[in-house]
Amino acid sequence: MKNRQKSRSGCRKCKERRLRCDETKPGCLKCAQKGLDCPGYQQRLQWSTKHEIPVAAPSSEPANFNQLVTAASASIVSRPANAEIPHDGLNTPIMVPVPAPRLAVPLVSLSGSLSPSPGPSSSSRSSSSTPSPPPQNDDPVEHGESHSVLGPVTLKDEPVPSSERSHALELTMTQPVVDIPTFLIEHWFKSVCPSWSALDSQTNPYRRLTADLWHTSTPVYYALQAISAASLVERLPHVIKDTARSAPREAVAAIMKELVAFSTGVRPKFPSEVLLSLFCMSSSMCWMEARQLGQQFVRQARAVLKSLDGWPLDSESQALLDFFNGCLVYEEMLRSVVSDEEIDFENMLSWPELTTLGPLIPAAPHAWTGVSTDVLRLFGKAVALCRRSRMRWRHNDGTSYRVLQGAMRDIEDATKVEGSLLAVVVPLFPECGQPPLTVDRARDLHNATEAYRLCALLQLYVSFPDLSTKRRPALKGADGSVVWHTWVSPLALHVTDVLGSIPPGSLSCIQPLLCLCAGSGLRYDSNVPLGTGSRSYLLSTKINTTPLPPTPAPSTPGLDPLYPGISENAIKTSQSRHLLMDRLDKLELCLPPKPIGVAKQLLRAVWSAYDEEIGLTRRTHWLDVMSYTGLHSLFG
């Protein structure tokens, strides 16, 4: 009997009564004799904790949170000598204080009581950590770094002579473990803020506000992690992927809670943290998924800013209100290029008109975009009118009185916007509230503002050819190709020259949209055989890395003597296409790559459609190409 193996497959009733089950199917005889229903022989798995060693309950906040604050403070303050160090308005570097007492994680639910004084919840932070390269400092804790370093492992795999034992004991391997939230907050200040802000400087409101709020405001804390993770998801997908998904959810939950507190009057103060978080989230959506436009965040920001009308504000709050209104103009302008929703057109067109009897000097460059808000507003209105007009003709098979009436209204509105754009005089050295500008910086700001003004005019002339015939009556009744190549193409080539004068590393975040708008006006005026030699690039949408030869003075007006039968316009158009694609290639290396990749695909598709129409009377609009191909994103 001792060799008989013990069976564990008996029914649960026999096990509870500690009886030997005969395992008769479908029910055992022991249960039948007792008049019980046999439960059968299905095995039930249950987690046992009797062998676990009890441990102390975890703290409500991570042990390294103070180190996190210290590390972020050190990374903000400790900058190279040649780097721009953010200041708070006085001549002292920004110091991030130790955080105030923090609350629990905000829930997604909009109901329930609201607690005072928000703070980033430490209990719900991402507990995952990933290896990173060893720090440069010998003592990370002494230098304020929050990397949790594993204990040293002495290399003793082989016997070591006594004479070298002391040296061998000093050879250690340390594997630093990076705290993901710490890394993302530091990445925001070091990389995201300079590339996201066209005019980043010591007084950039975004930089100052984030330095003041990230460690005390839950929405800002998670919004900074979300935008930082979105900027890295293509370069570090295996490290940031999970955080890039969780941080936006946490940020949205915290923003919703703060919006309820603001709307109900629980926190009757200027909603800096809510607006900052909303604009961060609106920009980062397309970095994760190119077609995500983040419109819900922009519309919510507009509602918050509109609710502030009539509030008694001090000078500091009024300055922030003007700043965020400028941010809203830029964000709505970007969406007027790609959104098909009528509400986005109406929001952009609802901004007040600029009234002037003479030359219009635009407002100072915006502290975030680097371009005057007046020019951005005019650009957004021009593109919104063009998109609304193209949508009207695309969605109506026949011509009706209502369609014609809407088209006439669009032309009238476009004429007003054109008049305002022509009245704008962009100063060479714009007055700016920023620190004194260098000559190169002032020239770049001037060229960027002028490029936006010219691109707005270009889009109006492409979409409303009647505007050009009003300026040049001789073109009235001419073929569409004649109007294009005598009015639109020269303007597009000029815009490309202005854009080419701006270095790729200056004002990078506002250049992709300029490249796209300038490229939309680059058509060839005649059909040129592709060939297989040096002329093959002329009608090719592929980029030729070989520099183009210098163009000598043509012996025949309009023709290039080096390439008989090829017009000078074709040479310049090819050079301009090459410049724009080369610029987008460079921007793709320093900006989130997904929107730039979409812009490159869209330009190639537009040029391909243009090249197929050489010699034809029809003219495909680039906005229709974007609609048919679905190649849209936020190009800025």
Side-chain angles (χ1 to χ4, degrees), residues 337 383 386-387 390 394 463 621-627:
V337 179
V383 177
C386 296
R387 281 190 57 80
R390 295 311 306 173
R394 275 201 311 269
S463 302
H621 200 290
W622 75 275
L623 292 176
D624 297 337
V625 176
M626 181 174 65
S627 177

Side-chain angles (χ1 to χ4, degrees), residues 347-414:
N347 287 339
M348 191 69 244
L349 296 174
S350 66
W351 291 98
E353 291 285 345
L354 299 175
T355 56
T356 178
L357 299 178
L360 173 63
I361 306 298
H366 189 259
W368 178 43
T369 64
V371 179
S372 170
T373 303
D374 295 335
V375 175
L376 292 179
R377 186 182 301 130
L378 290 173
F379 178 91
K381 285 190 172 186
V383 177
L385 288 172
C386 296
R387 281 190 57 80
R388 191 171 68 179
S389 174
R390 295 311 306 173
M391 288 181 61
R392 179 177 288 110
W393 292 110
R394 275 201 311 269
H395 296 162
N396 292 275
D397 297 333
T399 302
S400 62
Y401 176 77
R402 181 179 58 84
V403 174
L404 294 178
Q405 190 178 29
M408 293 302 299
R409 185 170 60 252
D410 288 341
I411 293 177
E412 293 176 359
D413 295 340

Side-chain angles (χ1 to χ4, degrees), residues 423-454:
V424 170
V425 178
V426 181
L428 182 59
F429 292 95
E431 296 182 2
C432 185
Q434 307 293 324
L437 300 173
T438 62
V439 175
D440 293 340
R441 189 69 165 175
R443 183 176 60 250
D444 293 343
L445 291 175
H446 166 80
N447 291 334
T449 305
E450 181 68 8
Y452 266 101
R453 186 183 75 89
L454 294 175

Side-chain angles (χ1 to χ4, degrees), residues 54 120 135 140 170 172 198 200 242 267 270 275 316 341 404 444 453 466 478 509 523-524 570 622:
E170 296 176 358
T172 59
D200 187 32
D242 292 339
R267 298 194 180 101
F270 189 86
L275 292 171
E316 181 179 359
E341 299 189 27
L404 294 178
D444 293 343
R453 186 183 75 89
D466 292 341
C509 61
R523 286 179 182 265
Y524 290 108
W622 75 275

Side-chain angles (χ1 to χ4, degrees), residues 278-298:
L278 287 171
F279 284 120
C280 284
M281 296 300 298
S282 67
S283 296
S284 63
M285 288 293 99
C286 68
W287 298 357
M288 289 282 294
E289 173 57 42
R291 296 186 181 184
Q292 291 289 336
L293 305 181
Q295 294 145 305
Q296 66 274 26
F297 300 105
V298 178

Side-chain angles (χ1 to χ4, degrees), residues 319-361:
L320 285 177
L321 178 61
D322 296 339
F323 169 76
F324 282 120
N325 275 324
C327 297
L328 180 63
V329 170
Y330 180 71
E331 292 286 353
E332 291 185 341
M333 178 271 293
L334 291 177
R335 285 153 184 84
S336 69
V337 179
V338 295
S339 175
D340 290 330
E341 299 189 27
E342 185 68 24
I343 186 175
D344 293 321
F345 299 149
E346 296 300 330
N347 287 339
M348 191 69 244
L349 296 174
S350 66
W351 291 98
E353 291 285 345
L354 299 175
T355 56
T356 178
L357 299 178
L360 173 63
I361 306 298

